[in-house]
Amino acid sequence: VKRDDCPLDKDELGSRTWSFLHTMAAYYPDNPTDEQKSDMTRFFHIFSKFYPCSVCAEDLQEQLKRTPPQINSQSQLSQWLCIIHNEVNKKLGKPEFDCKLVNQRWRDGWKDSSCD
Ligand code: FAD
């Protein structure tokens, strides 16, 4: 059994980071101010320079050039991040996530109340 006070490997770091990023997007404002919009764009660009997995960071920088963050609302940001994550899933041969379900997964809980 692996101890939980050891350094993270790439997959542990990845799943914990996605949890943070999707949760942050889930609580982004519906009507962000201009400052919040520019801060969120800057956040992702800076994040992509320091993410401590070099191949992941390089690919993310390319993704951000091709598909800049959609920062006009919570729903836009969450959908954009879902698409970005799905591109990584595809590259790694993982199943695609249904982006219609993103708020149930990261904010509201599943419709069947299994998260209550
Ligand atoms: P994860 O992909 O970590 O997903 C965690 C949970 O998120 C899933 O259980 C699911 O419930 C949910 N989820 C899945 N897809 C979506 C989606 N599209 N939208 C919303 N929720 C979703 N690893 C590499 O080997 N090479 C890379 O280049 C690489 N790049 C990465 C780039 C970034 C920015 C990050 C954060 C991680 C990257 N990783 C990379 C790690 C990789 O994406 C996974 O985190 C890791 O392989 C562990 O996968 P997992 O099966 O635990 O699920």
Side-chain angles (χ1 to χ4, degrees):
V1 275
K2 199 167 170 200
R3 293 165 51 140
D4 67 5
D5 60 351
C6 296
L8 305 187
D9 65 25
K10 180 157 54 68
D11 286 352
E12 291 162 344
L13 176 69
S15 79
R16 293 174 196 200
T17 301
W18 287 122
S19 294
F20 161 63
L21 292 174
H22 287 296
T23 306
M24 176 176 70
Y27 289 94
Y28 186 68
D30 291 328
N31 291 298
T33 62
D34 288 345
E35 187 181 9
Q36 287 170 324
K37 291 188 217 175
S38 74
D39 283 349
M40 188 54 78
T41 301
R42 276 152 31 91
F43 169 83
F44 274 103
H45 282 96
I46 296 167
F47 169 84
S48 76
K49 295 184 189 181
F50 289 101
Y51 188 69
C53 154
S54 50
V55 41
C56 311
E58 280 163 28
D59 285 2
L60 181 60
Q61 286 169 33
E62 289 305 314
Q63 286 183 290
L64 292 172
K65 277 186 213 153
R66 277 199 310 275
T67 322
Q70 301 282 299
I71 39 64
N72 287 327
S73 66
Q74 184 269 323
S75 132
Q76 272 199 11
L77 187 66
S78 294
Q79 290 301 310
W80 169 80
L81 189 59
C82 186
I83 289 165
I84 293 288
H85 191 167
N86 270 338
E87 289 178 3
V88 177
N89 289 340
K90 193 169 179 188
K91 181 177 83 174
L92 300 179
K94 291 180 191 279
E96 217 178 287
F97 184 89
D98 179 352
C99 292
K100 286 196 298 292
L101 303 177
V102 87
N103 280 348
Q104 286 186 58
R105 171 68 178 90
W106 295 108
R107 192 189 66 182
D108 303 332
W110 301 109
K111 286 238 166 79
D112 66 5
S113 307
S114 56
C115 300
D116 293 357

